Amino acid sequence: MLIASQTKLKLNRMIVGVLCAILLSSCAVPYRKGSFGIDGYFAELMPDGTTRVSYSISRDGAVNIANIYAAYRATEMAKEGGYNALEIVRTSDYSRNMNTTARCTVRFLNLSEADMQKARDMPNAKSAMDIANRFGQFFPNVYPVDELQKALEKNILREGK
């Protein structure tokens, strides 16, 4: 009787584990380029010279990950353009009909090493980076591209992984 109940308990634990794995994998949002009807990132150059980077997810309430993915795409674009810093000018997000979109408007910058150090030494720089990384909330600030990208990288789920 004891062996049967232990076997049943192990089986129940295994079933719960499998169900949790399925549930977690269905919540994962892969990072990718968007297209019509497919979640992902989009970017557009604005008339004032800034770039608006958006990330859309077909799931309500995924604001934090959408913000992180939009900012991460901005770091990729900065590197592609040869920039070493970016200024987050403004952010916004919205959810509608089970869709979440985050927008991050940025200005790409090339700063001298002295100016990069000033950006790092600003009183709110460390806390802004920490909050961005932990909660997906970005404040208007200048961020060194390499440091921001490295901080956000652990939150990025690549397609096929």
Side-chain angles (χ1 to χ4, degrees):
M1 184 75 121
L2 182 61
I3 293 174
S5 83
Q6 286 178 340
T7 303
K8 188 176 179 180
L9 182 62
K10 286 180 184 180
L11 183 60
N12 286 342
R13 284 184 182 162
M14 185 177 73
I15 290 170
V16 168
V18 169
L19 290 175
C20 285
I22 291 169
L23 180 63
L24 289 174
S25 68
S26 70
C27 293
V29 176
Y31 176 79
R32 62 183 169 209
K33 183 176 182 177
S35 62
F36 184 73
I38 298 177
D39 298 347
Y41 60 78
F42 302 88
E44 66 181 300
L45 185 60
M46 305 306 288
D48 65 358
T50 60
T51 301
R52 183 168 59 195
V53 182
S54 302
Y55 201 94
S56 295
I57 299 172
S58 295
R59 191 173 70 214
D60 195 24
V63 172
N64 290 356
I65 197 69
N67 280 324
I68 288 169
Y69 281 13
Y72 186 79
R73 177 59 186 149
T75 66
E76 288 180 328
M77 293 175 69
K79 281 186 160 185
E80 290 165 4
Y83 299 98
N84 65 358
L86 63 86
E87 176 186 8
I88 294 183
V89 178
R90 67 185 152 275
T91 61
S92 63
D93 54 67
Y94 62 91
S95 293
R96 181 177 8 158
N97 299 331
M98 297 302 290
N99 290 307
T100 298
T101 299
R103 289 189 175 139
C104 180
T105 303
V106 298
R107 183 173 288 113
F108 300 120
L109 306 169
N110 269 318
L111 299 180
S112 67
E113 188 53 44
D115 287 337
M116 288 286 279
Q117 193 57 49
K118 285 179 189 174
R120 288 184 194 104
D121 291 342
M122 288 177 63
N124 64 343
K126 177 114 175 83
S127 61
M129 184 81 79
D130 185 49
I131 290 168
N133 185 38
R134 291 176 54 208
F135 304 109
Q137 296 175 346
F138 295 87
F139 299 102
N141 203 359
V142 174
Y143 296 88
V145 169
D146 288 335
E147 293 169 28
L148 182 59
Q149 189 174 51
K150 184 178 178 183
L152 298 176
E153 179 70 36
K154 68 179 175 218
N155 297 302
I156 304 301
L157 176 64
R158 304 278 179 195
E159 265 191 306
K161 289 190 179 180

